[in-house]
Amino acid sequence: MDLTLTPSTEDYLKAIYEISQEKRVVRIKDLADKLKVKMSSVANAVKQLANKELIVHEHYGYIELTDKGFEVGKSLYERHLVLYKFLTQILQVEPGIASKDACSIEHYLHKETVERIVKLLDFISTAPNSTPQWMIKFKKFLETGVSECRYAKTLDRLEVGTKAKIKSIRLESTIKKRLMDMGVIKGETIKLTKKAPLGDPIEIEVKGYKLSLRKKDAKQIEIEEV
Amino acid sequence: MDLTLTPSTEDYLKAIYEISQEKRVVRIKDLADKLKVKMSSVANAVKQLANKELIVHEHYGYIELTDKGFEVGKSLYERHLVLYKFLTQILQVEPGIASKDACSIEHYLHKETVERIVKLLDFISTAPNSTPQWMIKFKKFLETGVSECRYAKTLDRLEVGTKAKIKSIRLESTIKKRLMDMGVIKGETIKLTKKAPLGDPIEIEVKGYKLSLRKKDAKQIEIEEV
DNA sequence: TGCAAATGTTAGTTGTATCTAACTTTATTT
DNA sequence: AAATAAAGTTAGATACAACTAACATTTGCA
């Protein structure tokens, strides 16, 4: 019996588990409302889950979890909770967004990754003082610390004699090909060797070669100082 | 012009950006290899991106990013990097898994969530001592701290006179309905008031009512001490 | 230069998950 | 008890993103 579930069927099973914990019975309509889909879509999914023997569903009747279904549904629900807690408690994401994000990503994360998150949550809750110092600092940092969206520095603004690493190149293909043949590639380290009076052209050194560039082209090369 | 991209087309655009930074030209074959799909699938996606004017592609020719395409592609790539760094540097996930997980979840996270992650990374890199104390502790915790997968405690093992919160219920529907009508629902607080000699039956109090339960049924009710 | 290999295109198929619309069964109301 | 409303089912349509297979073009080598 193949118990593999698609993201969509996982959603249905998780929802069945949740409703079964809140209401006396689970109906197609409840699922349609909860998942914001039409009843016919639910009917389809329910058939699949029944084929996998995770639920039992009789015509025009209620939906019930089998033992296996209960177990799987519960673990799906718990995985969701872990992600939700992580997003809200650690990353300080708003509940509404956290809930949506948890829903979308829960299907895709490896078991190992979720394990790490569980451990991080554990680590924080078992810290000597309930909220660890760093988290308090992080919260403050969130309020004040503008995550500097620094200007991307471009090659034309590099100073003569200094080195930098290439971060990205945005040039018309003929020029780009020529440069790439000389070794001007993402990650490569280059040195600005000379600048003409008005900064045009400039001369750079890469892999021992020296080559000359127009300022307008140099402007299209993003760098990162080293 | 609708610039909305599906997860799949986002992948293609990101890959085009990446290849354009590594190779002199971008071809259908390169994309097929990188994304592990057939060339015909790439052809399809390329047509869509061209329709949105994010790339230019001439018959049997190379693929080139437009200005807009470069910008979007680059930001997709950077988002991926942020997630990858987060997974490896903070959660200590293995590179291989981190890379796959980043690929899968990057399409689904809200801008705000990614922003938080950027800030957390920033916060850590700007900490006075390069690796903050708590991260060192967390790494140790990962090695030793067994994230106790404690036995789920069930109602039958609660002590007389103590209270607990209901965490989950797994019972045949007729009994479950009866209990739920009395207020035995997930999240509700209950008190164990009496236990017969061999622990069967037990009596609990919920919302003022007292009710009696078989041990075998109580065993199916998971609780959480309060 | 010419032919084979590599690369690219197109048309049509499959699988998944949604939908609409018509219909059936069950529940509720008068 | 009949009429109406609510819930559930089924068949067929649509959209997406992959696929296969047959065909077209370009490249590279003998």
Side-chain angles (χ1 to χ4, degrees), chain A residues 17 20-25 62 64-67 70 74 77-78 86-87 90-93 97 100-101 104-105 108-110 112-113 115-120 122-123 126 134 137-138 141-142 145-148 150 152 167-170 172-173 176-177 180-181 185-186 222, chain B residues 17 20-25 62 64-67 70 74 77-78 86-87 90-93 97 100-101 104-105 108-110 112-113 115-120 122-123 126 134 137-138 141-142 145-148 150 152 167-170 172-173 176-177 180-181 185-186 222:
Chain A
Y17 172 81
S20 79
Q21 294 299 309
E22 286 154 16
K23 294 199 168 191
R24 297 213 315 287
V25 293
Y62 300 134
E64 295 208 41
L65 289 163
T66 61
D67 285 352
F70 179 83
K74 190 175 158 200
Y77 173 70
E78 280 165 359
F86 169 70
L87 289 169
I90 296 182
L91 293 182
Q92 310 285 321
V93 174
I97 294 180
K100 281 190 209 155
D101 279 358
S104 354
I105 69 177
Y108 303 106
L109 292 174
H110 279 75
E112 290 85 348
T113 306
E115 257 308 300
R116 297 293 183 185
I117 296 176
V118 169
K119 289 199 174 176
L120 182 54
D122 251 37
F123 174 68
T126 61
W134 72 268
K137 279 191 193 152
F138 178 53
F141 180 81
L142 280 179
V146 185
S147 191
E148 324 89 69
R150 332 150 176 98
K167 223 177 128 189
S168 89
I169 301 171
R170 166 77 189 129
E172 179 221 319
S173 54
K176 186 172 152 193
K177 279 185 207 164
M180 283 197 148
D181 285 337
I185 306 175
K186 198 187 75 174
E222 246 180 68
Chain B
Y17 172 81
S20 80
Q21 293 300 307
E22 286 154 16
K23 295 198 168 191
R24 297 212 315 287
V25 293
Y62 301 134
E64 295 208 42
L65 288 163
T66 61
D67 286 351
F70 180 82
K74 191 175 157 203
Y77 173 71
E78 280 166 359
F86 168 70
L87 290 169
I90 297 182
L91 293 181
Q92 310 287 321
V93 175
I97 293 179
K100 281 190 209 155
D101 279 358
S104 353
I105 70 177
Y108 303 105
L109 292 174
H110 279 76
E112 290 84 348
T113 306
E115 257 309 299
R116 297 294 182 184
I117 296 176
V118 169
K119 289 200 174 175
L120 183 54
D122 252 37
F123 174 68
T126 61
W134 71 268
K137 279 191 193 151
F138 178 53
F141 180 81
L142 280 180
V146 185
S147 191
E148 324 90 70
R150 331 150 177 100
K167 225 177 127 188
S168 89
I169 302 171
R170 166 73 189 133
E172 180 220 319
S173 54
K176 187 172 152 192
K177 278 184 207 163
M180 283 196 146
D181 286 336
I185 307 175
K186 196 188 76 174
E222 246 180 67

Side-chain angles (χ1 to χ4, degrees), chain A residues 19 26-34 37 39 42 63:
Chain A
I19 295 171
V26 182
R27 289 173 311 175
I28 299 266
K29 185 71 187 341
D30 299 325
L31 285 165
D33 290 347
K34 182 163 190 119
V37 294
M39 288 201 295
V42 178
I63 295 162

Side-chain angles (χ1 to χ4, degrees), chain A residues 9-192:
Chain A
T9 45
E10 277 188 3
D11 280 338
Y12 284 101
L13 186 53
K14 187 184 65 170
I16 291 169
Y17 172 81
E18 288 181 77
I19 295 171
S20 79
Q21 294 299 309
E22 286 154 16
K23 294 199 168 191
R24 297 213 315 287
V25 293
V26 182
R27 289 173 311 175
I28 299 266
K29 185 71 187 341
D30 299 325
L31 285 165
D33 290 347
K34 182 163 190 119
L35 298 174
K36 306 228 175 73
V37 294
K38 300 295 170 196
M39 288 201 295
S40 59
S41 306
V42 178
N44 240 315
V46 158
K47 221 168 273 171
Q48 291 179 57
L49 290 172
N51 277 340
K52 292 191 191 287
E53 296 176 3
L54 293 165
I55 61 175
V56 174
H57 179 228
E58 53 190 314
H59 245 51
Y60 295 98
Y62 300 134
I63 295 162
E64 295 208 41
L65 289 163
T66 61
D67 285 352
K68 189 70 194 160
F70 179 83
E71 193 187 302
V72 176
K74 190 175 158 200
S75 77
L76 292 174
Y77 173 70
E78 280 165 359
R79 184 178 62 182
H80 175 86
L81 264 196
V82 163
L83 295 177
Y84 178 76
K85 273 192 195 168
F86 169 70
L87 289 169
T88 51
Q89 292 175 14
I90 296 182
L91 293 182
Q92 310 285 321
V93 174
E94 284 175 50
I97 294 180
S99 175
K100 281 190 209 155
D101 279 358
C103 271
S104 354
I105 69 177
E106 62 191 6
H107 310 294
Y108 303 106
L109 292 174
H110 279 75
K111 221 174 65 264
E112 290 85 348
T113 306
V114 178
E115 257 308 300
R116 297 293 183 185
I117 296 176
V118 169
K119 289 199 174 176
L120 182 54
L121 287 168
D122 251 37
F123 174 68
I124 278 158
S125 70
T126 61
N129 29 358
S130 60
T131 310
Q133 199 55 31
W134 72 268
M135 280 216 36
I136 295 168
K137 279 191 193 152
F138 178 53
K139 281 186 200 171
K140 264 196 201 128
F141 180 81
L142 280 179
E143 283 158 25
T144 59
V146 185
S147 191
E148 324 89 69
C149 180
R150 332 150 176 98
Y151 275 101
K153 187 154 187 180
T154 46
L155 183 53
D156 61 308
R157 294 188 292 148
L158 191 60
E159 316 223 330
V160 176
T162 56
K163 287 184 181 178
K165 214 166 84 181
I166 295 172
K167 223 177 128 189
S168 89
I169 301 171
R170 166 77 189 129
L171 281 169
E172 179 221 319
S173 54
T174 48
I175 300 173
K176 186 172 152 193
K177 279 185 207 164
R178 200 191 98 221
L179 291 180
M180 283 197 148
D181 285 337
M182 312 283 293
V184 179
I185 306 175
K186 198 187 75 174
E188 194 62 55
T189 301
I190 57 176
K191 183 174 166 185
L192 201 149

Side-chain angles (χ1 to χ4, degrees), chain B residues 178-211:
Chain B
R178 200 192 97 219
L179 291 180
M180 283 196 146
D181 286 336
M182 312 283 292
V184 179
I185 307 175
K186 196 188 76 174
E188 195 64 53
T189 301
I190 59 177
K191 183 175 168 184
L192 201 149
T193 45
K194 230 185 264 177
K195 236 183 201 172
L198 283 161
D200 198 0
I202 64 170
E203 188 190 77
I204 62 171
E205 185 181 310
V206 52
K207 286 190 161 176
Y209 297 96
K210 291 196 177 174
L211 61 140

Side-chain angles (χ1 to χ4, degrees), chain B:
Chain B
M1 170 66 55
D2 177 26
L3 284 185
T4 326
L5 298 178
T6 61
S8 163
T9 44
E10 277 189 2
D11 281 336
Y12 284 102
L13 186 53
K14 188 183 64 168
I16 291 169
Y17 172 81
E18 288 181 75
I19 295 171
S20 80
Q21 293 300 307
E22 286 154 16
K23 295 198 168 191
R24 297 212 315 287
V25 293
V26 182
R27 290 174 312 175
I28 299 267
K29 186 72 187 343
D30 298 324
L31 285 164
D33 290 347
K34 182 164 190 118
L35 298 174
K36 307 225 175 73
V37 294
K38 300 295 170 196
M39 288 201 294
S40 59
S41 307
V42 178
N44 239 314
V46 158
K47 222 168 272 170
Q48 290 180 56
L49 291 171
N51 277 339
K52 293 191 190 286
E53 296 177 4
L54 293 166
I55 60 175
V56 174
H57 180 227
E58 53 190 312
H59 245 52
Y60 294 97
Y62 301 134
I63 295 161
E64 295 208 42
L65 288 163
T66 61
D67 286 351
K68 190 69 194 161
F70 180 82
E71 196 186 301
V72 176
K74 191 175 157 203
S75 76
L76 291 174
Y77 173 71
E78 280 166 359
R79 185 178 59 183
H80 175 86
L81 265 195
V82 163
L83 295 176
Y84 179 76
K85 274 191 195 170
F86 168 70
L87 290 169
T88 51
Q89 293 176 15
I90 297 182
L91 293 181
Q92 310 287 321
V93 175
E94 285 175 50
I97 293 179
S99 177
K100 281 190 209 155
D101 279 358
C103 270
S104 353
I105 70 177
E106 63 191 7
H107 311 294
Y108 303 105
L109 292 174
H110 279 76
K111 220 173 66 267
E112 290 84 348
T113 306
V114 178
E115 257 309 299
R116 297 294 182 184
I117 296 176
V118 169
K119 289 200 174 175
L120 183 54
L121 286 168
D122 252 37
F123 174 68
I124 278 158
S125 71
T126 61
N129 29 357
S130 59
T131 309
Q133 200 55 32
W134 71 268
M135 280 218 35
I136 296 167
K137 279 191 193 151
F138 178 53
K139 281 186 201 173
K140 263 197 201 126
F141 180 81
L142 280 180
E143 284 159 25
T144 60
V146 185
S147 191
E148 324 90 70
C149 181
R150 331 150 177 100
Y151 275 102
K153 188 155 186 180
T154 47
L155 184 52
D156 61 308
R157 294 188 294 148
L158 191 61
E159 315 223 331
V160 175
T162 56
K163 287 184 181 178
K165 215 166 84 181
I166 295 172
K167 225 177 127 188
S168 89
I169 302 171
R170 166 73 189 133
L171 280 170
E172 180 220 319
S173 54
T174 49
I175 300 173
K176 187 172 152 192
K177 278 184 207 163
R178 200 192 97 219
L179 291 180
M180 283 196 146
D181 286 336
M182 312 283 292
V184 179
I185 307 175
K186 196 188 76 174
E188 195 64 53
T189 301
I190 59 177
K191 183 175 168 184
L192 201 149
T193 45
K194 230 185 264 177
K195 236 183 201 172
L198 283 161
D200 198 0
I202 64 170
E203 188 190 77
I204 62 171
E205 185 181 310
V206 52
K207 286 190 161 176
Y209 297 96
K210 291 196 177 174
L211 61 140
S212 162
L213 269 181
R214 302 216 170 150
K215 187 177 181 182
K216 110 180 178 321
D217 294 333
K219 207 169 196 132
Q220 299 298 102
I221 298 177
E222 246 180 67
I223 54 170
E224 189 170 33
E225 276 169 284
V226 283

